[in-house]
Amino acid sequence: MGREVRLVQGNQAMTEGAIYAGARFYAGYPITPSSEIAEECSKVMLKVGGVYMQMEDEIASIAAVIGASLAGAKAFTATSGPGFSLMQENLGLAVMGEVPCVVINVQRRGPSTGLSTKPAQGDIMQLRWGRHGDQSVIALCPATVSECFAMTVTAFNLAEKFRLPVIVAPDEIVAHMREAFSLPEPGEVEVIDRKKPSGSPKDYKPFVADADGVAPLAAYGSEYVFHVSSSMHGPDGYSNNDPANAAWRVAQLHRKIEMHRDEIVITRSFAAEDADVLLIAFGATTRASRAAALELRKRGIKAGVLQLITLWPFADREVATLADKVKTVIVPEMNYSGQVAGEVQRVLGSGADIRRVNSYNGEVITPQEILRAIV
Amino acid sequence: MWCSGCGIGVMLGAMLRAFEELGYRNADTVVVTGIGCTGKADDYLVTHALHTTHGRALAYATGIKAFNPKLHVVVLMGDGDSVTIGGNHFIHAARRNIDLTAIIINNFNYGMTGGQVSATTPGGSYTSTTSWGNPERDFDICALAEVAGANYVARETPYHGWEMKELIKEALNKKGFSLVEVFSPCPTHFGKNNEMRQTREMLDWLKEKGLPVEQYRKLSVAEQGNHFAIGKLVDRDAPDFNTRYEEIRVRATAPEGIGGRCEAK
Amino acid sequence: MMGKKERYEIILAGSGGQGLVLAGIMLGEAAVLEGRNVVQTQSYGIASRGGLSLAEVIIDWAEIIYQQVQEPDIILALTEEALEKYAALAEKGVHIFYDTTLAKRRAGANLTGYPFTKIASDLGNVAAVNILSLGAMTAAVPMVKTESLAGVIRKRFQGKVLEMNLKALQKGVELI
């Protein structure tokens, strides 16, 4: 008998991805269009021996997630624009304290409370720069229900491996769509756990990085007693105001991502090898772009698509390599300001001709909107 | 380090003696701190520790305790952390009755940043941001914890170090949310701004105003306005968050049909 | 009855609270049971009741790239507002089923009106209007087999609600 295929919603697939990856703690505050994740976690966590908590707000939600992670849990939360804004300060602690955690931010149309049930891709810069204080995170953006599952597992793997917050940022359309999906068997998809300390507990220093740029992380309650701080700290986690230490630490938080850039940056390309026209897309925009590219091929124009699954760190090399070979680069996105187009411009240089297609009325971007920019 | 005359050191000493007497080990104990003078305390500790953002210590501690109920989780906050910027987390931690012990140093103002007004600055008092007197009323932290559902509430001053340690021990032993509020002198700022520049004057002020709770309760309402109660104010045994969550888990994992509400689809 | 196609694009339109998203999900689940690719999406306002509510379903043997309906084969309109929005497509060959209980009758090819809401109400449960409509639509246009829909209903519901919904499905089929 074959594996069961079900009609599964993006939000449900992300929840199943989290559980598959070993998540056993969820704290959140309901917000459209991410609430299905909270609802599902409230049921499933009880069954798998985990804990679900509805906190008083999103500030508390991410704080509880970080606390649980330091107590040894794979922990996550889910939210949307307004809640994601509220989480920023404490997400900074997860960066500074090098605490693995996953945040799902289902992007909805703003500004402010905006159109809460409608899709957008307006948080691209907030994913990267939303927090004060000069730091890096990883952000992933799925375009299908299967990718919702797979990228949530990947988000946990990267968070655990590199001790940092990873954000999964589908737009509302991807989070709410349902597609045929079958859950992989346990062991079929790689699941990575954080590095644990070994050796004498009294020598353990939670911020002394190995050669891979990442320090092992103990759990509260273990004999490896340790200290984590949002403030500038030395290798032992205690306050440290030495400028040399501060410079090393700030750089190290960036470097551990830069060092593993090739492992972190995930892209897919569709008929891009011989393309004259390259559409650079992410999330739901990928699907409209692929449909537009097929239509262009029918009309004799060689078009291809580069899908950015990892939004941050930005796929500079992949964009440059493919864009170098084409005549026209088009960046369709569901925002006014061309947040990804600006990055593409940075990569290709200010002289490069990049056509922007921006949709920001709360409706899903269509292949026709993209075609109008070309033909 | 803290200013001479500050009560945080007395509190920290009382807390550590309480840990010692209760046999707490560094490996089973997590101290969570926020931001401000009290937030510096973790740097002097050798237990597990988490120094967090301003006002959010209780929310971090909630995640730690909810995931690993075996840990002793103690949260050190000032009046700014606990009931000013972090007031929402405070009432909800008490409402959930999660098994944390909060120790709050209330020095009536923001000491670390230069003596600005807080939610516990008495009305009419002078601070660096209420130069003509505080137009707002102050929170009674213990009353807030009581109505929000805390199982244990006590208040003490650094004048009574031994009693403070005993109250902290009771709070640590109590399952559910427990609070010990410590009224503390801040001679550097609050005292200086309110004609109690010497530590002695601030301690005398606290000693004179603080009455054992039994004595305080006998006063008329008008007289109570000039005093505050010290000692154990609330002691009850409502089930804590983790206990209730495990009760619900029994339903969720029971064989079909005896698990209470069936799952909606 | 319409001939079998490789791909179907379906729009279910009405007002919040009429169970249209659930109808879209059940239709999609029936297609998944038959081993086909499905994308189901929806569009609605912020309120749980009222306002134009849409569910879209695409069923295809091939990969579904763009997730929204572009060339609908069949549309269900359960309110006047929904019918007003789509009625003109009937002339282009789109099969439009609408509810004469809540929308004004319209004449013309490809426009099929039944008092779905009234029939569901007479059956004893107005909430079954979504399943009743699906029964009629799948009988007219072979998007999925009626048995597949019945299978989905059996999986989702129990007891009296199951009986009612199976009755509603059958009643819908019999309308055609």
mmCIF file of all heavy atoms in Angstrom, chain A residues 46-47 50 52 56 59 67 90 220-224 226-231 238-239, chain B residues 25 27 42-43 45 47-51 53 56 60 63-64 71 89 92 96 245 249 263:
data_model
loop_
_atom_site.group_PDB
_atom_site.id
_atom_site.type_symbol
_atom_site.label_atom_id
_atom_site.label_comp_id
_atom_site.label_asym_id
_atom_site.label_seq_id
_atom_site.Cartn_x
_atom_site.Cartn_y
_atom_site.Cartn_z
ATOM 1 N N LEU A 46 0.174 18.133 23.007
ATOM 2 C CA LEU A 46 -0.259 17.293 24.130
ATOM 3 C C LEU A 46 -0.025 15.815 23.822
ATOM 4 O O LEU A 46 0.297 15.032 24.698
ATOM 5 C CB LEU A 46 -1.747 17.526 24.398
ATOM 6 C CG LEU A 46 -2.103 18.824 25.147
ATOM 7 C CD1 LEU A 46 -3.559 19.164 24.948
ATOM 8 C CD2 LEU A 46 -1.776 18.695 26.634
ATOM 9 N N LYS A 47 -0.177 15.460 22.558
ATOM 10 C CA LYS A 47 -0.081 14.039 22.187
ATOM 11 C C LYS A 47 1.352 13.562 22.040
ATOM 12 O O LYS A 47 1.629 12.383 22.226
ATOM 13 C CB LYS A 47 -0.838 13.791 20.883
ATOM 14 C CG LYS A 47 -2.315 14.086 21.050
ATOM 15 C CD LYS A 47 -3.126 13.569 19.903
ATOM 16 C CE LYS A 47 -4.598 13.716 20.288
ATOM 17 N NZ LYS A 47 -5.480 12.996 19.412
ATOM 18 N N GLY A 50 4.866 17.197 24.164
ATOM 19 C CA GLY A 50 5.395 18.560 24.170
ATOM 20 C C GLY A 50 4.483 19.512 24.937
ATOM 21 O O GLY A 50 3.565 19.086 25.648
ATOM 22 N N TYR A 52 2.267 23.241 24.590
ATOM 23 C CA TYR A 52 1.720 24.376 23.836
ATOM 24 C C TYR A 52 1.314 25.433 24.846
ATOM 25 O O TYR A 52 0.656 25.128 25.834
ATOM 26 C CB TYR A 52 0.480 23.934 23.044
ATOM 27 C CG TYR A 52 -0.334 25.119 22.545
ATOM 28 C CD1 TYR A 52 -0.032 25.707 21.329
ATOM 29 C CD2 TYR A 52 -1.360 25.667 23.319
ATOM 30 C CE1 TYR A 52 -0.741 26.802 20.884
ATOM 31 C CE2 TYR A 52 -2.076 26.771 22.873
ATOM 32 C CZ TYR A 52 -1.762 27.331 21.657
ATOM 33 O OH TYR A 52 -2.460 28.435 21.224
ATOM 34 N N GLU A 56 0.469 35.906 26.481
ATOM 35 C CA GLU A 56 -0.321 37.133 26.562
ATOM 36 C C GLU A 56 -0.087 38.048 25.361
ATOM 37 O O GLU A 56 -0.881 38.948 25.099
ATOM 38 C CB GLU A 56 -0.046 37.876 27.873
ATOM 39 C CG GLU A 56 1.427 38.100 28.222
ATOM 40 C CD GLU A 56 2.046 36.921 28.977
ATOM 41 O OE1 GLU A 56 1.510 35.800 28.891
ATOM 42 O OE2 GLU A 56 3.082 37.129 29.642
ATOM 43 N N ILE A 59 5.368 39.306 22.263
ATOM 44 C CA ILE A 59 6.632 39.566 22.968
ATOM 45 C C ILE A 59 6.908 38.398 23.914
ATOM 46 O O ILE A 59 8.011 37.835 23.957
ATOM 47 C CB ILE A 59 6.534 40.891 23.763
ATOM 48 C CG1 ILE A 59 6.282 42.067 22.817
ATOM 49 C CG2 ILE A 59 7.766 41.111 24.623
ATOM 50 C CD1 ILE A 59 5.975 43.382 23.547
ATOM 51 N N GLY A 67 13.267 30.748 26.120
ATOM 52 C CA GLY A 67 13.467 30.109 27.426
ATOM 53 C C GLY A 67 13.410 28.590 27.302
ATOM 54 O O GLY A 67 14.278 27.874 27.813
ATOM 55 N N ASN A 90 13.055 40.708 21.220
ATOM 56 C CA ASN A 90 13.478 39.452 21.835
ATOM 57 C C ASN A 90 14.150 38.513 20.838
ATOM 58 O O ASN A 90 14.990 37.692 21.229
ATOM 59 C CB ASN A 90 12.296 38.766 22.512
ATOM 60 C CG ASN A 90 11.946 39.443 23.839
ATOM 61 O OD1 ASN A 90 12.763 40.174 24.403
ATOM 62 N ND2 ASN A 90 10.751 39.213 24.312
ATOM 63 N N TYR A 220 19.556 24.006 30.320
ATOM 64 C CA TYR A 220 19.338 24.301 31.743
ATOM 65 C C TYR A 220 18.892 23.016 32.430
ATOM 66 O O TYR A 220 18.042 22.284 31.915
ATOM 67 C CB TYR A 220 18.246 25.368 31.909
ATOM 68 C CG TYR A 220 18.676 26.762 31.499
ATOM 69 C CD1 TYR A 220 17.731 27.673 31.032
ATOM 70 C CD2 TYR A 220 20.001 27.192 31.617
ATOM 71 C CE1 TYR A 220 18.085 28.967 30.676
ATOM 72 C CE2 TYR A 220 20.374 28.478 31.264
ATOM 73 C CZ TYR A 220 19.416 29.364 30.790
ATOM 74 O OH TYR A 220 19.770 30.643 30.445
ATOM 75 N N GLY A 221 19.479 22.763 33.569
ATOM 76 C CA GLY A 221 19.172 21.529 34.281
ATOM 77 C C GLY A 221 20.276 20.497 34.139
ATOM 78 O O GLY A 221 20.352 19.557 34.915
ATOM 79 N N SER A 222 21.152 20.690 33.136
ATOM 80 C CA SER A 222 22.263 19.742 32.987
ATOM 81 C C SER A 222 23.400 20.148 33.922
ATOM 82 O O SER A 222 23.397 21.243 34.483
ATOM 83 C CB SER A 222 22.761 19.728 31.539
ATOM 84 O OG SER A 222 23.586 20.853 31.295
ATOM 85 N N GLU A 223 24.381 19.252 34.061
ATOM 86 C CA GLU A 223 25.534 19.557 34.925
ATOM 87 C C GLU A 223 26.436 20.629 34.298
ATOM 88 O O GLU A 223 27.282 21.201 34.976
ATOM 89 C CB GLU A 223 26.346 18.292 35.199
ATOM 90 C CG GLU A 223 25.591 17.255 36.034
ATOM 91 C CD GLU A 223 25.143 17.782 37.401
ATOM 92 O OE1 GLU A 223 25.951 18.449 38.078
ATOM 93 O OE2 GLU A 223 23.979 17.548 37.776
ATOM 94 N N TYR A 224 26.251 20.864 33.009
ATOM 95 C CA TYR A 224 26.982 21.960 32.350
ATOM 96 C C TYR A 224 26.246 23.265 32.657
ATOM 97 O O TYR A 224 25.391 23.702 31.898
ATOM 98 C CB TYR A 224 27.054 21.720 30.838
ATOM 99 C CG TYR A 224 27.896 20.519 30.465
ATOM 100 C CD1 TYR A 224 27.312 19.260 30.350
ATOM 101 C CD2 TYR A 224 29.258 20.658 30.243
ATOM 102 C CE1 TYR A 224 28.079 18.153 30.017
ATOM 103 C CE2 TYR A 224 30.031 19.548 29.907
ATOM 104 C CZ TYR A 224 29.443 18.303 29.793
ATOM 105 O OH TYR A 224 30.214 17.208 29.460
ATOM 106 N N PHE A 226 25.402 26.989 32.898
ATOM 107 C CA PHE A 226 25.836 28.058 31.993
ATOM 108 C C PHE A 226 24.967 29.299 32.087
ATOM 109 O O PHE A 226 23.866 29.285 32.632
ATOM 110 C CB PHE A 226 25.922 27.556 30.544
ATOM 111 C CG PHE A 226 24.579 27.239 29.905
ATOM 112 C CD1 PHE A 226 24.048 28.079 28.928
ATOM 113 C CD2 PHE A 226 23.860 26.119 30.272
ATOM 114 C CE1 PHE A 226 22.820 27.797 28.333
ATOM 115 C CE2 PHE A 226 22.634 25.822 29.683
ATOM 116 C CZ PHE A 226 22.114 26.661 28.708
ATOM 117 N N HIS A 227 25.494 30.356 31.495
ATOM 118 C CA HIS A 227 24.989 31.701 31.624
ATOM 119 C C HIS A 227 24.735 32.245 30.221
ATOM 120 O O HIS A 227 25.602 32.146 29.357
ATOM 121 C CB HIS A 227 26.127 32.508 32.267
ATOM 122 C CG HIS A 227 25.681 33.658 33.064
ATOM 123 N ND1 HIS A 227 25.619 33.605 34.427
ATOM 124 C CD2 HIS A 227 25.272 34.903 32.713
ATOM 125 C CE1 HIS A 227 25.200 34.786 34.890
ATOM 126 N NE2 HIS A 227 24.986 35.585 33.863
ATOM 127 N N VAL A 228 23.544 32.779 29.987
ATOM 128 C CA VAL A 228 23.254 33.401 28.689
ATOM 129 C C VAL A 228 22.790 34.826 28.940
ATOM 130 O O VAL A 228 22.042 35.090 29.875
ATOM 131 C CB VAL A 228 22.166 32.606 27.915
ATOM 132 C CG1 VAL A 228 21.719 33.363 26.671
ATOM 133 C CG2 VAL A 228 22.690 31.226 27.533
ATOM 134 N N SER A 229 23.232 35.744 28.089
ATOM 135 C CA SER A 229 22.913 37.146 28.331
ATOM 136 C C SER A 229 22.599 37.880 27.040
ATOM 137 O O SER A 229 23.236 37.657 26.011
ATOM 138 C CB SER A 229 24.103 37.826 29.022
ATOM 139 O OG SER A 229 23.807 39.196 29.216
ATOM 140 N N SER A 230 21.613 38.768 27.140
ATOM 141 C CA SER A 230 21.298 39.659 26.022
ATOM 142 C C SER A 230 22.336 40.772 25.910
ATOM 143 O O SER A 230 22.466 41.417 24.878
ATOM 144 C CB SER A 230 19.919 40.280 26.231
ATOM 145 O OG SER A 230 19.879 40.961 27.479
ATOM 146 N N SER A 231 23.046 41.009 26.986
ATOM 147 C CA SER A 231 24.068 42.064 26.981
ATOM 148 C C SER A 231 25.391 41.505 26.467
ATOM 149 O O SER A 231 25.562 40.291 26.361
ATOM 150 C CB SER A 231 24.242 42.627 28.391
ATOM 151 O OG SER A 231 23.035 43.248 28.804
ATOM 152 N N TYR A 238 29.211 35.751 30.814
ATOM 153 C CA TYR A 238 29.106 36.845 31.787
ATOM 154 C C TYR A 238 29.432 38.179 31.111
ATOM 155 O O TYR A 238 30.164 38.219 30.118
ATOM 156 C CB TYR A 238 30.049 36.610 32.968
ATOM 157 C CG TYR A 238 29.562 35.531 33.915
ATOM 158 C CD1 TYR A 238 29.773 34.181 33.639
ATOM 159 C CD2 TYR A 238 28.872 35.865 35.089
ATOM 160 C CE1 TYR A 238 29.315 33.184 34.495
ATOM 161 C CE2 TYR A 238 28.415 34.875 35.955
ATOM 162 C CZ TYR A 238 28.633 33.540 35.655
ATOM 163 O OH TYR A 238 28.180 32.562 36.510
ATOM 164 N N SER A 239 28.894 39.278 31.681
ATOM 165 C CA SER A 239 29.099 40.613 31.130
ATOM 166 C C SER A 239 30.574 40.876 30.849
ATOM 167 O O SER A 239 31.446 40.501 31.645
ATOM 168 C CB SER A 239 28.604 41.686 32.114
ATOM 169 O OG SER A 239 27.217 41.574 32.240
ATOM 170 N N ARG B 25 20.812 23.005 44.050
ATOM 171 C CA ARG B 25 22.094 22.872 43.370
ATOM 172 C C ARG B 25 22.145 23.846 42.189
ATOM 173 O O ARG B 25 21.106 24.169 41.604
ATOM 174 C CB ARG B 25 22.278 21.443 42.856
ATOM 175 C CG ARG B 25 22.323 20.401 43.963
ATOM 176 C CD ARG B 25 22.287 18.985 43.389
ATOM 177 N NE ARG B 25 23.469 18.715 42.564
ATOM 178 C CZ ARG B 25 23.418 18.453 41.255
ATOM 179 N NH1 ARG B 25 22.248 18.417 40.611
ATOM 180 N NH2 ARG B 25 24.521 18.227 40.566
ATOM 181 N N ALA B 27 23.042 23.241 39.311
ATOM 182 C CA ALA B 27 22.590 22.577 38.087
ATOM 183 C C ALA B 27 21.076 22.492 37.973
ATOM 184 O O ALA B 27 20.555 22.343 36.874
ATOM 185 C CB ALA B 27 23.205 21.180 38.001
ATOM 186 N N ASP B 42 22.573 38.646 38.004
ATOM 187 C CA ASP B 42 23.021 37.348 37.474
ATOM 188 C C ASP B 42 24.533 37.264 37.317
ATOM 189 O O ASP B 42 25.118 36.189 37.359
ATOM 190 C CB ASP B 42 22.328 37.047 36.133
ATOM 191 C CG ASP B 42 22.622 38.117 35.109
ATOM 192 O OD1 ASP B 42 21.954 39.172 35.162
ATOM 193 O OD2 ASP B 42 23.521 37.932 34.266
ATOM 194 N N ASP B 43 25.171 38.402 37.132
ATOM 195 C CA ASP B 43 26.632 38.386 36.965
ATOM 196 C C ASP B 43 27.351 37.914 38.231
ATOM 197 O O ASP B 43 28.528 37.592 38.179
ATOM 198 C CB ASP B 43 27.147 39.774 36.567
ATOM 199 C CG ASP B 43 27.244 39.926 35.047
ATOM 200 O OD1 ASP B 43 27.298 38.895 34.344
ATOM 201 O OD2 ASP B 43 27.258 41.073 34.563
ATOM 202 N N LEU B 45 26.186 35.373 40.069
ATOM 203 C CA LEU B 45 25.664 34.050 40.397
ATOM 204 C C LEU B 45 26.379 32.956 39.611
ATOM 205 O O LEU B 45 26.883 33.204 38.517
ATOM 206 C CB LEU B 45 24.161 33.986 40.089
ATOM 207 C CG LEU B 45 23.291 34.983 40.859
ATOM 208 C CD1 LEU B 45 21.859 34.914 40.367
ATOM 209 C CD2 LEU B 45 23.365 34.714 42.357
ATOM 210 N N THR B 47 24.700 29.820 39.348
ATOM 211 C CA THR B 47 23.656 28.885 38.909
ATOM 212 C C THR B 47 23.516 29.042 37.393
ATOM 213 O O THR B 47 24.144 29.899 36.786
ATOM 214 C CB THR B 47 22.303 29.250 39.545
ATOM 215 O OG1 THR B 47 21.972 30.579 39.119
ATOM 216 C CG2 THR B 47 22.358 29.200 41.065
ATOM 217 N N HIS B 48 22.628 28.222 36.771
ATOM 218 C CA HIS B 48 22.204 28.532 35.412
ATOM 219 C C HIS B 48 21.580 29.925 35.443
ATOM 220 O O HIS B 48 20.873 30.271 36.412
ATOM 221 C CB HIS B 48 21.130 27.545 34.934
ATOM 222 C CG HIS B 48 21.639 26.174 34.627
ATOM 223 N ND1 HIS B 48 22.414 25.900 33.529
ATOM 224 C CD2 HIS B 48 21.457 24.990 35.275
ATOM 225 C CE1 HIS B 48 22.685 24.599 33.495
ATOM 226 N NE2 HIS B 48 22.129 24.024 34.545
ATOM 227 N N ALA B 49 21.787 30.706 34.393
ATOM 228 C CA ALA B 49 21.216 32.054 34.426
ATOM 229 C C ALA B 49 20.882 32.538 33.026
ATOM 230 O O ALA B 49 21.481 32.113 32.035
ATOM 231 C CB ALA B 49 22.194 33.014 35.096
ATOM 232 N N LEU B 50 19.884 33.406 32.972
ATOM 233 C CA LEU B 50 19.500 34.046 31.716
ATOM 234 C C LEU B 50 19.208 35.516 31.991
ATOM 235 O O LEU B 50 18.307 35.844 32.761
ATOM 236 C CB LEU B 50 18.256 33.354 31.123
ATOM 237 C CG LEU B 50 17.676 33.953 29.839
ATOM 238 C CD1 LEU B 50 18.705 33.968 28.712
ATOM 239 C CD2 LEU B 50 16.430 33.176 29.400
ATOM 240 N N HIS B 51 20.021 36.351 31.388
ATOM 241 C CA HIS B 51 19.836 37.793 31.528
ATOM 242 C C HIS B 51 19.078 38.273 30.297
ATOM 243 O O HIS B 51 19.529 38.059 29.169
ATOM 244 C CB HIS B 51 21.215 38.462 31.623
ATOM 245 C CG HIS B 51 21.153 39.966 31.642
ATOM 246 N ND1 HIS B 51 20.693 40.662 32.726
ATOM 247 C CD2 HIS B 51 21.483 40.881 30.703
ATOM 248 C CE1 HIS B 51 20.754 41.964 32.457
ATOM 249 N NE2 HIS B 51 21.222 42.124 31.232
ATOM 250 N N THR B 53 15.834 40.811 28.167
ATOM 251 C CA THR B 53 15.428 42.165 27.798
ATOM 252 C C THR B 53 14.542 42.788 28.887
ATOM 253 O O THR B 53 14.013 42.086 29.751
ATOM 254 C CB THR B 53 14.657 42.114 26.476
ATOM 255 O OG1 THR B 53 13.655 41.106 26.577
ATOM 256 C CG2 THR B 53 15.585 41.783 25.310
ATOM 257 N N ARG B 56 10.771 41.478 30.327
ATOM 258 C CA ARG B 56 10.294 40.212 29.767
ATOM 259 C C ARG B 56 10.786 38.991 30.525
ATOM 260 O O ARG B 56 10.580 37.859 30.080
ATOM 261 C CB ARG B 56 10.721 40.084 28.302
ATOM 262 C CG ARG B 56 10.566 41.337 27.469
ATOM 263 C CD ARG B 56 9.168 41.883 27.464
ATOM 264 N NE ARG B 56 9.115 43.205 26.838
ATOM 265 C CZ ARG B 56 8.093 44.036 26.935
ATOM 266 N NH1 ARG B 56 7.021 43.703 27.652
ATOM 267 N NH2 ARG B 56 8.118 45.208 26.352
ATOM 268 N N TYR B 60 10.300 34.744 29.625
ATOM 269 C CA TYR B 60 11.390 33.788 29.376
ATOM 270 C C TYR B 60 11.323 32.650 30.400
ATOM 271 O O TYR B 60 11.426 31.471 30.052
ATOM 272 C CB TYR B 60 12.756 34.477 29.483
ATOM 273 C CG TYR B 60 13.120 35.338 28.286
ATOM 274 C CD1 TYR B 60 12.831 36.699 28.257
ATOM 275 C CD2 TYR B 60 13.777 34.797 27.184
ATOM 276 C CE1 TYR B 60 13.164 37.487 27.173
ATOM 277 C CE2 TYR B 60 14.123 35.583 26.094
ATOM 278 C CZ TYR B 60 13.819 36.923 26.092
ATOM 279 O OH TYR B 60 14.153 37.690 25.009
ATOM 280 N N GLY B 63 8.731 29.975 29.748
ATOM 281 C CA GLY B 63 9.120 28.957 28.767
ATOM 282 C C GLY B 63 10.030 27.905 29.388
ATOM 283 O O GLY B 63 9.893 26.708 29.113
ATOM 284 N N ILE B 64 10.963 28.347 30.234
ATOM 285 C CA ILE B 64 11.899 27.418 30.879
ATOM 286 C C ILE B 64 11.137 26.439 31.772
ATOM 287 O O ILE B 64 11.286 25.221 31.688
ATOM 288 C CB ILE B 64 12.946 28.192 31.708
ATOM 289 C CG1 ILE B 64 13.802 29.087 30.802
ATOM 290 C CG2 ILE B 64 13.810 27.233 32.523
ATOM 291 C CD1 ILE B 64 14.669 30.087 31.562
ATOM 292 N N LEU B 71 12.982 22.092 37.154
ATOM 293 C CA LEU B 71 13.931 23.156 37.500
ATOM 294 C C LEU B 71 13.344 24.120 38.530
ATOM 295 O O LEU B 71 12.138 24.370 38.543
ATOM 296 C CB LEU B 71 14.286 23.949 36.239
ATOM 297 C CG LEU B 71 15.078 23.194 35.171
ATOM 298 C CD1 LEU B 71 15.121 24.000 33.881
ATOM 299 C CD2 LEU B 71 16.481 22.906 35.670
ATOM 300 N N HIS B 89 3.090 40.782 31.538
ATOM 301 C CA HIS B 89 3.646 39.449 31.805
ATOM 302 C C HIS B 89 3.452 39.090 33.278
ATOM 303 O O HIS B 89 3.222 37.934 33.626
ATOM 304 C CB HIS B 89 5.126 39.391 31.423
ATOM 305 C CG HIS B 89 5.389 39.922 30.046
ATOM 306 N ND1 HIS B 89 4.719 39.446 28.941
ATOM 307 C CD2 HIS B 89 6.208 40.907 29.596
ATOM 308 C CE1 HIS B 89 5.128 40.111 27.864
ATOM 309 N NE2 HIS B 89 6.023 41.006 28.242
ATOM 310 N N HIS B 92 -0.132 37.961 33.960
ATOM 311 C CA HIS B 92 -0.437 36.666 33.334
ATOM 312 C C HIS B 92 0.367 35.518 33.956
ATOM 313 O O HIS B 92 -0.135 34.388 34.011
ATOM 314 C CB HIS B 92 -0.247 36.741 31.818
ATOM 315 C CG HIS B 92 -1.352 37.521 31.170
ATOM 316 N ND1 HIS B 92 -2.588 36.976 30.950
ATOM 317 C CD2 HIS B 92 -1.424 38.811 30.768
ATOM 318 C CE1 HIS B 92 -3.383 37.897 30.403
ATOM 319 N NE2 HIS B 92 -2.696 39.019 30.279
ATOM 320 N N ARG B 96 -1.674 32.432 35.426
ATOM 321 C CA ARG B 96 -1.376 31.045 35.067
ATOM 322 C C ARG B 96 -0.960 30.241 36.280
ATOM 323 O O ARG B 96 -0.951 29.026 36.269
ATOM 324 C CB ARG B 96 -0.184 31.024 34.102
ATOM 325 C CG ARG B 96 -0.556 30.914 32.677
ATOM 326 C CD ARG B 96 0.680 30.923 31.781
ATOM 327 N NE ARG B 96 0.297 31.642 30.598
ATOM 328 C CZ ARG B 96 0.785 32.802 30.211
ATOM 329 N NH1 ARG B 96 1.762 33.371 30.892
ATOM 330 N NH2 ARG B 96 0.322 33.385 29.137
ATOM 331 N N TYR B 245 -1.747 21.407 33.184
ATOM 332 C CA TYR B 245 -1.456 21.008 31.803
ATOM 333 C C TYR B 245 -1.360 19.487 31.717
ATOM 334 O O TYR B 245 -1.858 18.881 30.771
ATOM 335 C CB TYR B 245 -0.157 21.666 31.324
ATOM 336 C CG TYR B 245 0.002 21.635 29.813
ATOM 337 C CD1 TYR B 245 -0.773 22.465 29.003
ATOM 338 C CD2 TYR B 245 0.895 20.768 29.200
ATOM 339 C CE1 TYR B 245 -0.648 22.425 27.616
ATOM 340 C CE2 TYR B 245 1.029 20.732 27.814
ATOM 341 C CZ TYR B 245 0.260 21.565 27.030
ATOM 342 O OH TYR B 245 0.374 21.521 25.661
ATOM 343 N N ARG B 249 -3.386 16.766 29.547
ATOM 344 C CA ARG B 249 -2.697 15.804 28.686
ATOM 345 C C ARG B 249 -3.301 14.398 28.844
ATOM 346 O O ARG B 249 -3.391 13.646 27.878
ATOM 347 C CB ARG B 249 -1.198 15.766 29.000
ATOM 348 C CG ARG B 249 -0.390 15.035 27.918
ATOM 349 C CD ARG B 249 1.038 14.742 28.331
ATOM 350 N NE ARG B 249 1.824 15.905 28.677
ATOM 351 C CZ ARG B 249 2.373 16.752 27.793
ATOM 352 N NH1 ARG B 249 2.211 16.561 26.509
ATOM 353 N NH2 ARG B 249 3.085 17.775 28.212
ATOM 354 N N GLU B 263 -11.944 15.494 19.555
ATOM 355 C CA GLU B 263 -11.269 16.475 18.723
ATOM 356 C C GLU B 263 -12.159 16.942 17.579
ATOM 357 O O GLU B 263 -12.721 16.128 16.865
ATOM 358 C CB GLU B 263 -10.027 15.809 18.149
ATOM 359 C CG GLU B 263 -8.937 16.787 17.860
ATOM 360 C CD GLU B 263 -7.654 16.019 17.632
ATOM 361 O OE1 GLU B 263 -7.038 15.604 18.621
ATOM 362 O OE2 GLU B 263 -7.304 15.846 16.471
#
